[in-house]
Amino acid sequence: MSLRDKAATTWRELAWFVNGVLGANKYQQYLAHHRRHGHGAPMTEREFWRAESDRPVVEGRCC
Amino acid sequence: MITAPTLTERPEEVPPVALEEETLEKEKKLSPLKVAIWVVIALLGGVSWAMIALVRGETINGIWFVFAAVCSYFIANRFYANVIERYLTKPDDRRATPGEYRLDGHDFVPTDRRILYGHHFAAIAGAGPLVGPVLAAQMGYLPGTIWIIVGVVFAGAVQDYVVLFCSMRRGGRSVGQMAKDELGRFGGIAALIATLVIMLIIIAILALVVVNALGESPWGVFSVGMTIPIALFMGVYLRYIRPGKVAEVSIIGCVLLLAAIIGGGYVAQTNWGKTLFALPPIVIAWAIIIYGFVAAVLPVWLLLAPRDYLSTFMKVGTIAMLAVAIVVVRPNIDVPAMTIWASRSDGPVFSGALFPFLFVTIACGALSGFHAMISSGTTPKLIEKERQTRFIGYGGMLMESFVAIMALVAALSVDHGIYFAMNSSVAGTGGTVEGAVAFVNSLGMTGVNLTPDQLTETARLVGEHSIVSRTGGAPTLAVGLAGIMHQWFGGASMMSFWYHFAIMFEALFILTSVDAGTRVARFMLADALGNFYPKFREANWKVGSYLTTGLMVIGWGSILLLGVTDPLGGINTFFPLFGVANQLLAAIALAVCLLIFARRGRKWSLLIVAVPLTFAAVVTITGSFLKIFSSDPKVGYWANHNRFAQAIADGKTELAGVKTVKAMEAVVRNTAVQTTLSVVFLACALVVIAMCVWKTIEAVRAGGGKDTEDPPIQSLIYAPSGMMAMPAEKVLEKQWVEYYAQHPGADIRGKGH
């Protein structure tokens, strides 16, 4: 593997990790879930995030 | 007796979902190379501990603390966590986790273990491990270091792990619900009241730390205040402009945040900046109370969620930066291993003897009950495989402990005289440079000779008009961090930037805890009130949500106001309450888990939970008793209450540095509140702990008890258990990749690749 490929892989992995921790991969998760269990056309990315941000859920944060 | 779970047959074409027992045993066998590596780690750790505990030079290098901690964590994670897994929790990868069998794409999602580790760590780590160790530095470096490292290995990480495991086996139920399932209604209510009161205290004291850090600091108020418009902007950006681009907006937010810190320096020098932002503590306290209410009733996407992204980004970034800086700069520490305050109970930073008060002052970082909320909240619903609970629960807490060690090193690197000038209350220092110098030099500590120049020069370097009596830990840590960071990057002219950077990120954590905590507390209250009036459980009933939020804000807000106006220095008197509350919560969580495992038929392995439970119970109960009943007014709330009440009745107008009758009345009132709170949560916690212990004994005698686990369901996914996949795990992973290639529809995991 060339240095460039390695750098690209590292960058992809880092982006994957950061997006995962922040929850930015939720739309992809939703699509995967929808493919298996959903009916009809999935929400568009915009629709999904609108619905997502209206959920009243809150995660606890510690001291 | 509990019988082994009977699982349905796995379909033939599906690869194994767990490693065979023998393969696992073989994987754990230590090869000669591995033995050699572990010997090196053990030796390095041993030498570091010897440097810390035995060698007595003029100074000690901060790097030894890092080595001692990291080596201890590695050994504990490899060997002690293994013992817990093998004899107590006994995870079974053939069983599906709630994330798998209740998969809904939202709350229940099997999440990659490395992402979940980051997620869990971001949820448990906050300002707690940054504040406690700073205050504990009063007693020297040794007691705090031992408790942080030994405490996390045998208590804190154990608690996080067992709570996570128990909750995962119960569909992600909370500690409160588990207490109710195990103990019945009465025990459940006691656990609920204790949790609610404890949460209010924790929120109030954290807010108090922010108030003390921002009081009369125009730079700090401006830059922390700017986080609100920045978060609002991010919220609008994410909702209307570029939905879902979370990482992108977080980076923009961080850049704006840095700009706000730099801008704060200029604003603080202007006259309008001074008049607008140099606010007295009481005004800031009111601002935080109003903010707390508004943030908790506004839509999550507008303020709370974007703040949380910022906070997560800053958290991970700053902690990584501090770790690198400590290794690069290797600060020298001239604080003695044990100061004179280690053997006394009238220390100026926090009062009370080493036992039990050191152990409650350092709560987060060694043992934190608040973590039980996360370990039995979001995280168990995201676990992919049962065996991963060890890496996430035990390993996550080790990282938090490491943060505490770094905070301790940063605080210790501050000159000892300056440290006491910053952390003694106004009642001692009078709030002036001259008063602080006279006070600190009169304490009789060897090697401490504070000069007025030191205080004014440090204040000037960090860009504050005074650093005297800046209690609460955050300013001290900020001075320490600035002292370390400027040696690595930027020189003396950057010290003021680093100081305000540290203040900013601590305030950011704390304000995130304040609004998230208020929301969580409000949902708990609404749920409890729903027992009597079910409408409270409806999430979109505005009256109910305003009412419950208002009640919770009044709860912590009133404690915060008492703390801010406390004539004896709010942190000095209130912080022990915070620590005791947090450890009591830990004791409740451990007690519930003890009972759960006893009912699963465990015997000797129960000691893994029973030992930290006993320790936490002894520490908190002794601490509470001393706070309530001690006749020493420096320690006992009630003794102090009587002393001041008596003095007022005798017509005195001054007592122990408190100079007006009004202030004396405030002391009388605050001590009454402190006593009441101590009694309430001690009583609730004792009820829960006693019930758990009693039922545990019954269960041990009977060889088991009722089973409250969800019925086992056959898992149909596989993932390795630790950070790195073991060779046998890699082989299995490969089989699954091939299987998914042939059956693309079978992959339920939304990995987002």
Side-chain angles (χ1 to χ4, degrees), chain B residues 479-522:
Chain B
V479 168
L481 189 130
I484 293 171
M485 288 304 298
H486 87 276
Q487 292 179 48
W488 180 37
F489 192 85
S493 59
M494 282 283 278
M495 261 187 89
S496 55
F497 171 81
W498 288 120
Y499 175 88
H500 288 95
F501 179 84
I503 293 289
M504 150 80 91
F505 90 93
E506 280 188 86
L508 197 61
F509 291 3
I510 291 178
L511 292 179
T512 313
S513 301
V514 167
D515 47 31
T518 306
R519 258 189 132 88
V520 171
R522 157 195 146 193

Tab-separated table of all heavy atoms in Angstrom, chain B residues 479-522:
chain	number	residue	atom	x	y	z
B	479	VAL	N	-4.856	27.965	35.886
B	479	VAL	CA	-3.498	28.500	36.077
B	479	VAL	C	-2.466	27.403	35.822
B	479	VAL	O	-1.457	27.613	35.146
B	479	VAL	CB	-3.333	29.086	37.502
B	479	VAL	CG1	-1.867	29.360	37.798
B	479	VAL	CG2	-4.136	30.364	37.640
B	480	GLY	N	-2.745	26.203	36.341
B	480	GLY	CA	-1.833	25.076	36.140
B	480	GLY	C	-1.698	24.729	34.670
B	480	GLY	O	-0.598	24.549	34.151
B	481	LEU	N	-2.842	24.653	34.004
B	481	LEU	CA	-2.829	24.305	32.584
B	481	LEU	C	-2.104	25.374	31.765
B	481	LEU	O	-1.306	25.061	30.885
B	481	LEU	CB	-4.264	24.131	32.093
B	481	LEU	CG	-4.432	23.555	30.700
B	481	LEU	CD1	-5.423	22.417	30.733
B	481	LEU	CD2	-4.902	24.597	29.713
B	482	ALA	N	-2.366	26.640	32.113
B	482	ALA	CA	-1.688	27.726	31.405
B	482	ALA	C	-0.185	27.633	31.640
B	482	ALA	O	0.618	27.845	30.722
B	482	ALA	CB	-2.224	29.079	31.868
B	483	GLY	N	0.196	27.296	32.884
B	483	GLY	CA	1.610	27.173	33.216
B	483	GLY	C	2.288	26.076	32.421
B	483	GLY	O	3.448	26.212	32.006
B	484	ILE	N	1.564	24.969	32.189
B	484	ILE	CA	2.149	23.866	31.424
B	484	ILE	C	2.119	24.185	29.936
B	484	ILE	O	3.123	24.055	29.234
B	484	ILE	CB	1.385	22.553	31.715
B	484	ILE	CG1	1.625	22.131	33.165
B	484	ILE	CG2	1.827	21.456	30.772
B	484	ILE	CD1	0.764	20.983	33.619
B	485	MET	N	0.956	24.635	29.456
B	485	MET	CA	0.795	24.810	28.016
B	485	MET	C	1.702	25.897	27.441
B	485	MET	O	2.222	25.753	26.339
B	485	MET	CB	-0.664	25.140	27.673
B	485	MET	CG	-1.627	23.994	27.802
B	485	MET	SD	-1.188	22.532	26.836
B	485	MET	CE	-1.241	23.201	25.180
B	486	HIS	N	1.900	26.982	28.204
B	486	HIS	CA	2.679	28.077	27.599
B	486	HIS	C	4.148	27.676	27.425
B	486	HIS	O	4.851	28.229	26.592
B	486	HIS	CB	2.540	29.363	28.417
B	486	HIS	CG	3.524	29.500	29.528
B	486	HIS	ND1	3.332	28.929	30.753
B	486	HIS	CD2	4.730	30.120	29.584
B	486	HIS	CE1	4.373	29.199	31.512
B	486	HIS	NE2	5.226	29.913	30.841
B	487	GLN	N	4.599	26.683	28.210
B	487	GLN	CA	5.974	26.209	28.038
B	487	GLN	C	6.114	25.399	26.764
B	487	GLN	O	7.204	25.258	26.202
B	487	GLN	CB	6.380	25.320	29.220
B	487	GLN	CG	6.495	26.086	30.508
B	487	GLN	CD	6.866	25.165	31.648
B	487	GLN	OE1	7.786	24.360	31.534
B	487	GLN	NE2	6.148	25.262	32.737
B	488	TRP	N	5.006	24.822	26.345
B	488	TRP	CA	5.032	23.984	25.149
B	488	TRP	C	4.740	24.834	23.926
B	488	TRP	O	5.289	24.653	22.860
B	488	TRP	CB	4.015	22.855	25.303
B	488	TRP	CG	3.952	21.928	24.136
B	488	TRP	CD1	4.999	21.497	23.351
B	488	TRP	CD2	2.788	21.304	23.599
B	488	TRP	NE1	4.544	20.656	22.369
B	488	TRP	CE2	3.195	20.508	22.499
B	488	TRP	CE3	1.433	21.317	23.948
B	488	TRP	CZ2	2.307	19.751	21.751
B	488	TRP	CZ3	0.549	20.574	23.209
B	488	TRP	CH2	0.989	19.797	22.118
B	489	PHE	N	3.825	25.783	24.117
B	489	PHE	CA	3.294	26.492	22.958
B	489	PHE	C	2.974	27.928	23.322
B	489	PHE	O	2.124	28.177	24.157
B	489	PHE	CB	2.027	25.779	22.479
B	489	PHE	CG	1.543	26.234	21.143
B	489	PHE	CD1	2.066	25.687	19.976
B	489	PHE	CD2	0.574	27.223	21.040
B	489	PHE	CE1	1.627	26.108	18.742
B	489	PHE	CE2	0.135	27.648	19.798
B	489	PHE	CZ	0.663	27.085	18.651
B	490	GLY	N	3.695	28.870	22.757
B	490	GLY	CA	3.263	30.255	22.835
B	490	GLY	C	4.010	31.153	23.797
B	490	GLY	O	3.940	32.366	23.684
B	491	GLY	N	4.711	30.552	24.791
B	491	GLY	CA	5.446	31.400	25.724
B	491	GLY	C	4.529	32.172	26.665
B	491	GLY	O	3.312	32.019	26.650
B	492	ALA	N	5.154	33.048	27.487
B	492	ALA	CA	4.421	33.725	28.562
B	492	ALA	C	3.274	34.582	28.042
B	492	ALA	O	2.256	34.746	28.703
B	492	ALA	CB	5.383	34.582	29.380
B	493	SER	N	3.434	35.102	26.798
B	493	SER	CA	2.384	35.989	26.298
B	493	SER	C	1.100	35.216	26.011
B	493	SER	O	0.028	35.796	25.883
B	493	SER	CB	2.860	36.679	25.023
B	493	SER	OG	3.183	35.705	24.049
B	494	MET	N	1.227	33.871	25.886
B	494	MET	CA	0.039	33.072	25.602
B	494	MET	C	-0.657	32.589	26.886
B	494	MET	O	-1.689	31.927	26.828
B	494	MET	CB	0.414	31.847	24.768
B	494	MET	CG	0.643	32.137	23.304
B	494	MET	SD	-0.908	32.343	22.411
B	494	MET	CE	-1.359	30.635	22.109
B	495	MET	N	-0.055	32.889	28.058
B	495	MET	CA	-0.624	32.324	29.294
B	495	MET	C	-2.068	32.743	29.492
B	495	MET	O	-2.904	31.964	29.923
B	495	MET	CB	0.207	32.737	30.504
B	495	MET	CG	1.173	31.651	30.933
B	495	MET	SD	1.999	32.053	32.458
B	495	MET	CE	0.885	31.380	33.663
B	496	SER	N	-2.370	34.014	29.191
B	496	SER	CA	-3.731	34.475	29.436
B	496	SER	C	-4.710	33.757	28.509
B	496	SER	O	-5.821	33.437	28.888
B	496	SER	CB	-3.818	35.985	29.247
B	496	SER	OG	-3.342	36.330	27.975
B	497	PHE	N	-4.241	33.469	27.269
B	497	PHE	CA	-5.106	32.724	26.359
B	497	PHE	C	-5.390	31.330	26.920
B	497	PHE	O	-6.535	30.889	26.993
B	497	PHE	CB	-4.452	32.605	24.981
B	497	PHE	CG	-5.185	31.672	24.059
B	497	PHE	CD1	-6.312	32.094	23.380
B	497	PHE	CD2	-4.774	30.345	23.910
B	497	PHE	CE1	-7.007	31.225	22.540
B	497	PHE	CE2	-5.467	29.474	23.090
B	497	PHE	CZ	-6.579	29.916	22.404
B	498	TRP	N	-4.331	30.638	27.337
B	498	TRP	CA	-4.517	29.273	27.848
B	498	TRP	C	-5.382	29.264	29.106
B	498	TRP	O	-6.192	28.368	29.305
B	498	TRP	CB	-3.170	28.600	28.117
B	498	TRP	CG	-2.427	28.238	26.879
B	498	TRP	CD1	-1.196	28.680	26.499
B	498	TRP	CD2	-2.884	27.378	25.826
B	498	TRP	NE1	-0.850	28.159	25.290
B	498	TRP	CE2	-1.855	27.347	24.840
B	498	TRP	CE3	-4.044	26.632	25.612
B	498	TRP	CZ2	-1.968	26.593	23.686
B	498	TRP	CZ3	-4.145	25.884	24.445
B	498	TRP	CH2	-3.123	25.870	23.504
B	499	TYR	N	-5.190	30.276	29.949
B	499	TYR	CA	-6.012	30.343	31.166
B	499	TYR	C	-7.492	30.411	30.792
B	499	TYR	O	-8.318	29.648	31.286
B	499	TYR	CB	-5.620	31.568	31.998
B	499	TYR	CG	-6.490	31.785	33.219
B	499	TYR	CD1	-6.182	31.172	34.425
B	499	TYR	CD2	-7.622	32.602	33.155
B	499	TYR	CE1	-6.984	31.343	35.528
B	499	TYR	CE2	-8.428	32.787	34.260
B	499	TYR	CZ	-8.114	32.159	35.449
B	499	TYR	OH	-8.928	32.331	36.539
B	500	HIS	N	-7.809	31.320	29.882
B	500	HIS	CA	-9.227	31.469	29.535
B	500	HIS	C	-9.746	30.336	28.676
B	500	HIS	O	-10.932	30.031	28.696
B	500	HIS	CB	-9.475	32.843	28.911
B	500	HIS	CG	-9.376	33.923	29.927
B	500	HIS	ND1	-8.221	34.638	30.146
B	500	HIS	CD2	-10.259	34.343	30.859
B	500	HIS	CE1	-8.410	35.475	31.147
B	500	HIS	NE2	-9.640	35.310	31.599
B	501	PHE	N	-8.819	29.697	27.963
B	501	PHE	CA	-9.200	28.495	27.248
B	501	PHE	C	-9.660	27.433	28.256
B	501	PHE	O	-10.707	26.797	28.084
B	501	PHE	CB	-7.994	27.991	26.448
B	501	PHE	CG	-8.241	26.741	25.678
B	501	PHE	CD1	-8.832	26.795	24.432
B	501	PHE	CD2	-7.898	25.505	26.198
B	501	PHE	CE1	-9.070	25.637	23.719
B	501	PHE	CE2	-8.140	24.344	25.489
B	501	PHE	CZ	-8.723	24.415	24.247
B	502	ALA	N	-8.889	27.256	29.325
B	502	ALA	CA	-9.227	26.249	30.339
B	502	ALA	C	-10.540	26.597	31.034
B	502	ALA	O	-11.389	25.727	31.242
B	502	ALA	CB	-8.091	26.135	31.360
B	503	ILE	N	-10.697	27.879	31.387
B	503	ILE	CA	-11.942	28.299	32.038
B	503	ILE	C	-13.121	28.016	31.117
B	503	ILE	O	-14.159	27.491	31.526
B	503	ILE	CB	-11.900	29.817	32.352
B	503	ILE	CG1	-10.854	30.112	33.416
B	503	ILE	CG2	-13.274	30.325	32.784
B	503	ILE	CD1	-11.195	29.648	34.795
B	504	MET	N	-12.917	28.347	29.838
B	504	MET	CA	-13.988	28.161	28.864
B	504	MET	C	-14.402	26.702	28.757
B	504	MET	O	-15.571	26.361	28.793
B	504	MET	CB	-13.501	28.691	27.522
B	504	MET	CG	-14.078	28.026	26.332
B	504	MET	SD	-15.665	28.669	26.008
B	504	MET	CE	-15.216	29.976	24.898
B	505	PHE	N	-13.402	25.791	28.672
B	505	PHE	CA	-13.831	24.424	28.431
B	505	PHE	C	-14.421	23.796	29.686
B	505	PHE	O	-15.338	22.995	29.611
B	505	PHE	CB	-12.743	23.592	27.737
B	505	PHE	CG	-11.777	22.855	28.601
B	505	PHE	CD1	-12.016	21.542	28.960
B	505	PHE	CD2	-10.606	23.452	29.022
B	505	PHE	CE1	-11.102	20.839	29.726
B	505	PHE	CE2	-9.696	22.759	29.793
B	505	PHE	CZ	-9.952	21.447	30.150
B	506	GLU	N	-13.949	24.235	30.860
B	506	GLU	CA	-14.609	23.728	32.068
B	506	GLU	C	-16.036	24.242	32.165
B	506	GLU	O	-16.957	23.513	32.503
B	506	GLU	CB	-13.821	24.150	33.310
B	506	GLU	CG	-12.631	23.265	33.528
B	506	GLU	CD	-11.967	23.557	34.854
B	506	GLU	OE1	-12.396	22.985	35.851
B	506	GLU	OE2	-11.042	24.385	34.866
B	507	ALA	N	-16.212	25.543	31.864
B	507	ALA	CA	-17.559	26.108	31.928
B	507	ALA	C	-18.469	25.433	30.915
B	507	ALA	O	-19.641	25.163	31.185
B	507	ALA	CB	-17.499	27.611	31.659
B	508	LEU	N	-17.901	25.111	29.759
B	508	LEU	CA	-18.686	24.458	28.715
B	508	LEU	C	-19.182	23.091	29.191
B	508	LEU	O	-20.366	22.762	29.049
B	508	LEU	CB	-17.805	24.303	27.472
B	508	LEU	CG	-18.493	24.012	26.153
B	508	LEU	CD1	-19.432	25.140	25.790
B	508	LEU	CD2	-17.458	23.828	25.061
B	509	PHE	N	-18.283	22.306	29.783
B	509	PHE	CA	-18.698	20.993	30.315
B	509	PHE	C	-19.804	21.171	31.321
B	509	PHE	O	-20.800	20.467	31.328
B	509	PHE	CB	-17.575	20.328	31.111
B	509	PHE	CG	-16.416	19.863	30.324
B	509	PHE	CD1	-16.338	20.082	28.974
B	509	PHE	CD2	-15.387	19.192	30.955
B	509	PHE	CE1	-15.254	19.641	28.268
B	509	PHE	CE2	-14.311	18.760	30.257
B	509	PHE	CZ	-14.231	18.981	28.916
B	510	ILE	N	-19.555	22.123	32.246
B	510	ILE	CA	-20.461	22.243	33.383
B	510	ILE	C	-21.824	22.720	32.920
B	510	ILE	O	-22.849	22.182	33.329
B	510	ILE	CB	-19.868	23.170	34.455
B	510	ILE	CG1	-18.654	22.489	35.095
B	510	ILE	CG2	-20.912	23.508	35.500
B	510	ILE	CD1	-17.950	23.304	36.122
B	511	LEU	N	-21.840	23.705	32.031
B	511	LEU	CA	-23.143	24.179	31.572
B	511	LEU	C	-23.877	23.092	30.797
B	511	LEU	O	-25.098	22.991	30.865
B	511	LEU	CB	-22.983	25.449	30.728
B	511	LEU	CG	-22.498	26.647	31.553
B	511	LEU	CD1	-22.328	27.869	30.686
B	511	LEU	CD2	-23.454	26.942	32.694
B	512	THR	N	-23.127	22.248	30.084
B	512	THR	CA	-23.777	21.120	29.416
B	512	THR	C	-24.370	20.174	30.449
B	512	THR	O	-25.490	19.690	30.299
B	512	THR	CB	-22.768	20.369	28.526
B	512	THR	OG1	-22.051	21.323	27.764
B	512	THR	CG2	-23.464	19.422	27.585
B	513	SER	N	-23.603	19.916	31.523
B	513	SER	CA	-24.134	19.068	32.595
B	513	SER	C	-25.351	19.713	33.237
B	513	SER	O	-26.301	19.027	33.604
B	513	SER	CB	-23.091	18.834	33.690
B	513	SER	OG	-21.956	18.226	33.185
B	514	VAL	N	-25.311	21.037	33.387
B	514	VAL	CA	-26.422	21.724	34.044
B	514	VAL	C	-27.697	21.571	33.219
B	514	VAL	O	-28.736	21.171	33.741
B	514	VAL	CB	-26.096	23.222	34.264
B	514	VAL	CG1	-27.345	24.003	34.635
B	514	VAL	CG2	-25.050	23.377	35.355
B	515	ASP	N	-27.620	21.845	31.903
B	515	ASP	CA	-28.887	21.767	31.167
B	515	ASP	C	-29.316	20.328	30.911
B	515	ASP	O	-30.501	20.013	31.042
B	515	ASP	CB	-28.923	22.664	29.906
B	515	ASP	CG	-27.692	22.557	29.038
B	515	ASP	OD1	-27.123	21.475	29.035
B	515	ASP	OD2	-27.339	23.537	28.366
B	516	ALA	N	-28.340	19.441	30.599
B	516	ALA	CA	-28.734	18.035	30.420
B	516	ALA	C	-29.248	17.463	31.740
B	516	ALA	O	-30.240	16.734	31.767
B	516	ALA	CB	-27.560	17.218	29.895
B	517	GLY	N	-28.562	17.810	32.843
B	517	GLY	CA	-28.974	17.312	34.159
B	517	GLY	C	-30.368	17.786	34.523
B	517	GLY	O	-31.186	17.017	35.039
B	518	THR	N	-30.659	19.063	34.240
B	518	THR	CA	-31.990	19.587	34.537
B	518	THR	C	-33.047	18.822	33.752
B	518	THR	O	-34.093	18.446	34.277
B	518	THR	CB	-32.068	21.082	34.158
B	518	THR	OG1	-31.005	21.758	34.818
B	518	THR	CG2	-33.388	21.684	34.565
B	519	ARG	N	-32.741	18.554	32.491
B	519	ARG	CA	-33.688	17.814	31.655
B	519	ARG	C	-33.907	16.406	32.156
B	519	ARG	O	-35.037	15.926	32.237
B	519	ARG	CB	-33.153	17.754	30.226
B	519	ARG	CG	-33.804	18.717	29.297
B	519	ARG	CD	-33.364	18.420	27.890
B	519	ARG	NE	-34.520	18.380	27.007
B	519	ARG	CZ	-35.014	19.453	26.401
B	519	ARG	NH1	-34.483	20.627	26.608
B	519	ARG	NH2	-36.051	19.348	25.616
B	520	VAL	N	-32.790	15.718	32.501
B	520	VAL	CA	-32.914	14.347	32.989
B	520	VAL	C	-33.714	14.334	34.291
B	520	VAL	O	-34.640	13.530	34.473
B	520	VAL	CB	-31.514	13.725	33.199
B	520	VAL	CG1	-31.621	12.394	33.908
B	520	VAL	CG2	-30.812	13.541	31.861
B	521	ALA	N	-33.390	15.262	35.191
B	521	ALA	CA	-34.087	15.326	36.475
B	521	ALA	C	-35.575	15.600	36.258
B	521	ALA	O	-36.429	15.029	36.933
B	521	ALA	CB	-33.463	16.412	37.354
B	522	ARG	N	-35.846	16.462	35.283
B	522	ARG	CA	-37.241	16.789	35.011
B	522	ARG	C	-38.017	15.562	34.508
B	522	ARG	O	-39.142	15.319	34.925
B	522	ARG	CB	-37.296	17.909	33.982
B	522	ARG	CG	-38.586	17.962	33.219
B	522	ARG	CD	-38.429	18.837	32.004
B	522	ARG	NE	-39.213	18.350	30.906
B	522	ARG	CZ	-39.062	18.776	29.668
B	522	ARG	NH1	-38.145	19.673	29.392
B	522	ARG	NH2	-39.808	18.291	28.722
